[in-house]
Amino acid sequence: MSSVIEVKNVIMRFGGVTAVDHLNMAIPKGSIVGLIGPNGAGKTTAFNVITGFYTPTEGDVFFNGKKITGVPPHKICGLGMARTFQNIRLFYNETALENVMIGRHIRRKHHWWGAMLGLPGTNREEKEIRQKAEELLERIGLSEYRDELASSLPYGAQRRLEIARALATEPSFLLLDEPAAGMNPQESLELMNFIRQIRDEFNLTILLIEHDMKVVMGVCEHIWVLEYGKLIAEGNADAIRSNPRVIEAYLGEDVNNVED
Ligand SMILES: Nc1ncnc2c1ncn2[C@@H]1O[C@H](COP(=O)(O)OP(=O)(O)OP(=O)(O)O)[C@@H](O)[C@H]1O
Ligand SMILES: [Mg+2]
């Protein structure tokens, strides 16, 4: 099976802090995989390195076999990678539809000033962007919020809207940073189904960071565990759940009450 992402010996230092320390990961195409570990373990930093927000101190990242180390985030996004953030980032004074259209604009061919000049190609493209955004809202089950301001959406819907905006860039690889954070048990259950559904419908490979072990163990085919920037374990849910080192460092004894 080919790897969509390969992280090779990545080190990320901030002054005296080594946030990510010799990280190696290979993510199979079409899989849903997870990155877990205690607060401050380096999970978000690993995301920031993979998505190009940070250039690693050492090591390399490959996306579909192509080295992307040092490539700026918008170019990496253009190659088919999209993410959501640990703290939801939406344009709260824009409607749900407008938020998705913003994601779509990265794919546009014509310049923004073309619309001001009324150039025909641009207007057609603008219409297409709106139509595609509407379709996406429909597929994601957010149509009822189309014209609502993002700020007025229920929390779970805001999280899904952020994912919809990421999908609007037409990614093949999607990174979700704590998608279940702040969700109630019912919402997290729906989120698990939603993650599987978008993987299948949009042909994605998905990497998620998540503290909700029910979600992680329920949807992830492979899991990497970080502690103080170092990989302390990797494997499937059963292997991780029963790994004494992981239980000690992160999961605690009550992990065996987690069912998937
Ligand atoms: N830009 C930065 N400058 C300095 N230190 C940073 C920076 N980003 C992260 N760190 C440090 O790197 C370490 C890892 O942080 P990171 O945010 O990656 O952890 P995390 O695993 O995502 O934690 P959480 O579960 O709390 O989100 C922490 O010690 C953090 O303080
Ligand atoms: Mg984090």
Side-chain angles (χ1 to χ4, degrees), residues 40 42-45 86 177-178 209 211:
K43 304 179 298 293
T44 298
T45 304
Q86 188 163 350
D177 197 345
E178 300 199 23
I209 294 175
H211 284 292

Side-chain angles (χ1 to χ4, degrees), residues 2-259:
S2 60
S3 296
V4 168
I5 287 288
E6 276 184 281
V7 175
K8 288 195 176 163
N9 268 315
V10 160
I11 302 176
M12 186 73 223
R13 286 197 194 96
F14 301 105
V17 178
T18 305
V20 173
D21 199 354
H22 289 94
L23 180 62
N24 285 287
M25 296 169 84
I27 304 180
K29 191 169 164 39
S31 60
I32 300 174
V33 296
L35 185 58
I36 66 171
N39 292 120
K43 304 179 298 293
T44 298
T45 304
F47 262 37
N48 285 332
V49 169
I50 294 170
T51 52
F53 282 75
Y54 297 149
T55 300
T57 315
E58 283 181 37
D60 284 303
V61 180
F62 296 82
F63 183 30
N64 292 321
K66 183 179 147 65
K67 188 159 141 183
I68 54 163
T69 324
V71 175
H74 70 277
K75 290 233 168 90
I76 293 181
C77 177
L79 294 174
M81 197 188 293
R83 72 177 294 183
T84 63
F85 294 87
Q86 188 163 350
N87 303 307
I88 301 179
R89 294 191 190 176
L90 287 169
F91 297 95
Y92 287 103
N93 293 322
E94 310 279 342
T95 64
L97 180 68
E98 284 158 351
N99 268 276
V100 177
M101 286 177 69
I102 291 162
R104 196 71 221 164
H105 274 110
I106 193 167
R107 286 273 162 214
R108 73 183 306 164
K109 292 186 204 73
H110 296 89
H111 289 290
W112 59 271
W113 40 260
M116 281 172 60
L117 299 174
L119 301 181
T122 317
N123 285 336
R124 203 180 320 122
E125 192 173 32
E126 195 63 29
K127 253 194 208 149
E128 254 171 49
I129 287 173
R130 174 174 289 267
Q131 201 188 340
K132 283 262 163 68
E134 281 172 353
E135 273 170 31
L136 196 52
L137 281 180
E138 178 86 44
R139 285 173 76 181
I140 300 296
L142 288 172
S143 282
E144 59 176 309
Y145 301 115
R146 202 189 91 140
D147 301 318
E148 306 278 333
L149 291 184
S151 57
S152 70
L153 267 56
Y155 190 77
Q158 288 189 9
R159 284 256 171 224
R160 276 188 295 146
L161 179 59
E162 207 196 7
I163 295 174
R165 192 184 55 198
L167 291 175
T169 67
E170 295 184 0
S172 57
F173 179 55
L174 179 65
L175 301 94
L176 306 173
D177 197 345
E178 300 199 23
M183 287 190 171
N184 62 40
Q186 180 59 31
E187 284 174 324
S188 344
L189 190 72
E190 283 166 15
L191 178 77
M192 286 167 61
N193 292 328
F194 179 69
I195 290 173
R196 287 195 202 99
Q197 178 205 330
I198 58 171
R199 186 267 307 263
D200 295 342
E201 265 190 46
F202 296 88
N203 281 319
L204 300 171
T205 303
I206 299 178
L207 171 62
L208 59 114
I209 294 175
E210 190 46 71
H211 284 292
D212 184 328
M213 283 308 109
K214 212 171 166 149
V215 171
V216 173
M217 303 290 178
V219 300
C220 293
E221 294 148 35
H222 195 91
I223 299 162
W224 288 266
V225 189
L226 285 181
E227 186 194 22
Y228 297 116
K230 285 199 168 74
L231 208 54
I232 58 166
E234 67 168 292
N236 65 18
D238 284 339
I240 295 302
R241 215 188 256 132
S242 57
N243 183 312
R245 180 95 176 78
V246 179
I247 293 173
E248 185 199 353
Y250 180 51
L251 295 178
E253 293 303 331
D254 52 342
V255 65
N256 292 313
N257 299 326
V258 175
E259 305 280 316

